Structures are given as C-alpha cells and as structure tokens.
Amino acid sequence: MGIERAVAELGVLIYPGAQMAAVHGLTDLFGVANRIAAEHQSAQLPLLRVSHWQADAEHAPKRIYDSHPAPDGALIALLIPPSIGGFSEGQAPPALIRWIRQQHAAGATLGGVCVGSILLAESGLLDGRSATTHWTSAKKFAERYPKITLNADKPIVDDGDLITTAGLMAWSELGLRLVDRLLGPSIATSTARFLVIEHSDSASECGSNFAPILGHGDAAILKVQHWLQANGAVEVSLSVMSQQAGLEERTFLRRFRAATGLKPTEYCQHLRVGKAREMLEFTNGTIDHIAWSVGYSDPSAFRVTFKKITGLTPSDYRARFGVTAPARTL
C-alpha cells in the first residue's frame, strides 16, 4: 500500500501568446520533484498536482489539464509564464484579472515570469510592493505602474505571496523556489541537479526564505497576512493587527497561531528578516540602516534575530550572498 500524501495544487496559466515551453517545462520540473520526493517515502511531503488553466478574452480561465486528476481544490500557487511576443499593458481581459485576484484572495501565492509580471501589475496586487520584470519592459513598466517599486536589476523578487522574475528562462528558478517551499531545499537541489539547471538561490544554503502559510481558509487572518506582507510588518502591534482582522485580541492570537503556526511576533520577525536578506544581497546600505529600514530601532536586537533565523550574522550573510560590495563605514 502506497503512502497517503497531501496534495498541493500548482496552477499554470495559459493566456494568448504564453510561452508553451515554460508551461510544459514547469510541468516537467514539478513531475521530477514529485518522483524524487516519492523516493523518500514520507507522508509529510505533499504530492505536487499541476493544473493548466486556459484563458480567453471574455471568460475566467478554465482547467484543461491535471497531472493527477483529483477533486478540485484551492490552488497553492498560480504561475504566469512569459510571452515571447511580449504582453502589452492594458490588454489583460477583465475576467482574467478578476480571476487572478480571486486566487490571491483565496490564499494562492502568485508568480509572474518575465513579462508575466505585467499581469500581476495590471491586477493591482503589486501596488506598494517590490517587483522585477524583463529589461525590455522596465521603462514602460515603471511609467505605467508608479505605485510599484521596480527592481529591474534583480533576477527574482520574492515577496512572500507575490514572486516576480526578470528573465524569459527564469521559470525554472521560480519552479525550484516553490519546490523548495513545499518539499524542502534538498529536493529542490536534487531536482535542479537531475535537470542540469542552475539553482543558486541563497535559501538553499542558508535556510529557506520565509514561505507563509496562506491556504488555511481563515479569511480574517489571511487579510492580516496580506496587509503585513504589503507594509513589511513595520511599526505594527497586536492591537493594530487585531483591528485589521476585526477580532478581539485574544481571539486573534488564537486564530493567527492556528492558521500560520506562528505567533504574530514570530511571523513579523520572519517577514522583516526576509526583507533584510534581500537588502543585504542587493544593496550596499549599512547593517544599522537595514535594521532600521525593516523595523528594528535596536540594531543589536536585529542582529540577534537575524542570526537566530538564518544561522548567520548579517555581515557574514552579505559576505556570502551579496552581489555588491558593502558600504564603507567611517
């Protein structure tokens, strides 16, 4: 008798002009990850179910393929592949935009590859957040979506529930990022090795990037999670979070921990450290400035929390994973 495993469904969107190589490549990548995970014979590892969703000009996308036919369930993630021909701003059908927003509101992580990030921008979900896109689209992207912090020089921006990538072939790294979240870094690394593709994410060497649980079904808590992700969990308090949820503080605490597996303070620490990791990798700001930017008035407390979560001090982390030289301090 086989081991009964939970199912995690990953949707791949097919829209007019979508790069089918990415659609089928992601499907194969998750299939390889499933096979490697099965070798571990662990009921704790979910089965990755891949579904394809066909979009047209007038209707919400329809499911046209399942790698493992099963009763319909909520998507854990929705991936939007690139378009070789280029996807123009303002061309997204309203029904498709509504459907994308619905998947996010239901707890799905959204991932946009290259110009696929334009669909996420059109949805408004990236407003007030950081994102990246293909360099050929960067100028128009920045002009059309001024509420989005565009980091076009970054290959991937992982903002927890919203992930964007800059390269046409970056669908492989996005797929591996989700394998890392759902099956663990060792299986992600083994999948990359089997497919002979690069997987240089710092998460595989220094603890996984924080992957919040979003598919728990508690709408009030999910609302707070999206709010925290958008503001970086800076200058928040239990009372403010409770108000966002519309719950009494004691009820909020109980439901938040039941839904996310973490206390609100722990959850906020993970979000802040995630932001700090990105700044340490891609900017040359001082560590004290980064601590302040992510919500810590005491740099010493930031250093302690950072090492507790990542296993490295901020300076060691930058030395290992930073792509720019550290700023000189006087």
Side-chain angles (χ1 to χ4, degrees), residues 27 58 167 210 215 223 278 298:
T27 304
E58 298 181 1
F210 180 49
K223 177 185 176 183
E278 181 179 319
D298 181 357

Side-chain angles (χ1 to χ4, degrees), residues 205-329:
E205 299 181 53
C206 188
S208 297
N209 284 314
F210 180 49
I213 297 172
L214 302 171
H216 45 68
D218 190 326
I221 300 304
L222 182 61
K223 177 185 176 183
V224 175
Q225 289 177 272
H226 285 157
W227 177 73
L228 289 171
Q229 200 78 47
N231 65 26
V234 176
E235 296 184 0
V236 295
S237 64
L238 177 59
S239 62
V240 172
M241 287 187 279
S242 300
Q243 290 173 9
Q244 285 287 327
L247 299 171
E248 186 270 335
E249 288 187 14
R250 183 175 296 180
T251 302
F252 171 74
L253 275 171
R254 174 176 55 79
R255 285 173 55 175
F256 191 95
R257 189 163 190 176
T260 68
L262 295 169
K263 297 177 182 177
T265 51
E266 295 171 332
Y267 191 94
C268 290
Q269 286 176 347
H270 278 279
L271 284 181
R272 292 171 181 170
V273 166
K275 294 285 187 182
R277 286 172 66 159
E278 181 179 319
M279 294 180 73
L280 287 166
E281 290 183 34
F282 295 104
T283 77
N284 61 359
T286 66
I287 291 172
D288 284 2
H289 175 74
I290 289 173
W292 178 83
S293 298
V294 300
Y296 286 89
S297 58
D298 181 357
S300 297
F302 165 72
R303 286 175 167 83
V304 170
T305 301
F306 190 94
K307 185 171 184 179
K308 178 181 177 182
I309 290 175
T310 69
L312 292 174
T313 65
S315 56
D316 287 343
Y317 186 92
R318 168 173 275 164
R320 184 176 299 186
F321 301 115
V323 296
T324 58
R328 293 183 179 180
T329 54

Side-chain angles (χ1 to χ4, degrees), residues 112 114 117-118 120-121 125-134 141 145 147-159 162-166 275 278:
C114 192
S117 59
I118 292 174
L120 295 184
L125 293 170
L126 284 172
D127 287 357
R129 308 283 286 272
S130 296
T132 188
T133 192
H134 195 269
F141 189 102
Y145 311 111
K147 295 181 180 179
I148 301 172
T149 301
L150 180 63
N151 297 303
D153 58 328
K154 296 182 181 179
I156 186 167
V157 174
D158 184 344
D159 206 18
L162 298 171
I163 308 172
T164 52
T165 65
K275 294 285 187 182
E278 181 179 319

